[in-house]
Amino acid sequence: MDTIKILFVCHGNICRSPMAEYVMKDMVHKAGLEQHFEIASAATSREEIGCGVYPPARQKLAQHGIGCKGHAARQVRRDDYDRYDYLICMDRYNLRNITRIIPTDPQNKICRLLDFTHRPGDVADPWYTGDFDATWRDVNDGCSALLTLLRQEKHL
């Protein structure tokens, strides 16, 4: 079986997308499926390149026993489209902004995280809302639904 490659995408790669990256890695680890996945995250902007996970996001992950040590924000690259099976954006603005880097999506790889749940929509940016609890719930729900779908589709 080929490795399932997932890239989570948000504006700066310091809050939502790294939260999704590390939540998904934790879920995959707990399911004993690490050998089937490659999971990373990136930004549509260049504003935070090289920065670690934003402290309140890091704290929210730590509250759930999830570490994120060593994270350094990076920007999405055009070749990420060929490398990853899924480029999962946190909101409609990320969907719009990613097209500046990856102008076409002929394989329908680009989508939003909450589109895998029963309540499709945007993961609110806690940088602006300050509500890291809501972001945690959205990220957790989205990653759980995505993993469930992939396990069914890939017979994992």
Side-chain angles (χ1 to χ4, degrees), residues 7-38:
L7 184 68
F8 292 104
V9 179
C10 70
H11 181 77
N13 192 217
I14 61 168
C15 293
R16 294 172 293 171
S17 61
M19 285 178 78
E21 172 187 353
Y22 292 103
V23 165
M24 190 69 165
K25 284 178 176 178
D26 185 63
M27 288 179 178
V28 164
H29 171 75
K30 287 176 177 170
L33 298 171
E34 299 99 326
Q35 72 275 17
H36 297 291
F37 287 87
E38 178 182 323

Side-chain angles (χ1 to χ4, degrees), residues 26-120:
D26 185 63
M27 288 179 178
V28 164
H29 171 75
K30 287 176 177 170
L33 298 171
E34 299 99 326
Q35 72 275 17
H36 297 291
F37 287 87
E38 178 182 323
I39 303 163
S41 62
T44 57
S45 76
R46 299 183 52 80
E47 295 167 19
E48 303 290 346
I49 290 177
C51 292
V53 176
Y54 186 55
R58 186 172 55 243
Q59 291 164 0
K60 184 53 63 183
L61 289 169
Q63 286 175 5
H64 296 275
I66 301 171
C68 56
K69 186 176 181 181
H71 176 79
R74 75 164 183 91
Q75 188 177 32
V76 172
R77 297 181 303 264
R78 188 179 298 259
D79 66 349
D80 285 331
Y81 191 82
D82 295 326
R83 179 176 178 162
Y84 291 95
D85 303 307
Y86 300 88
L87 289 90
I88 303 176
C89 297
M90 296 299 120
D91 63 34
R92 65 186 176 274
Y93 302 110
N94 305 140
L95 285 174
R96 182 195 66 214
N97 292 339
I98 201 170
T99 63
R100 294 179 184 143
I101 302 164
I102 302 169
T104 61
D105 181 16
Q107 297 175 41
N108 294 314
K109 295 180 175 187
I110 303 172
C111 60
R112 292 180 304 177
L113 180 60
L114 288 179
D115 290 347
F116 294 99
T117 72
H118 65 280
R119 51 183 182 85

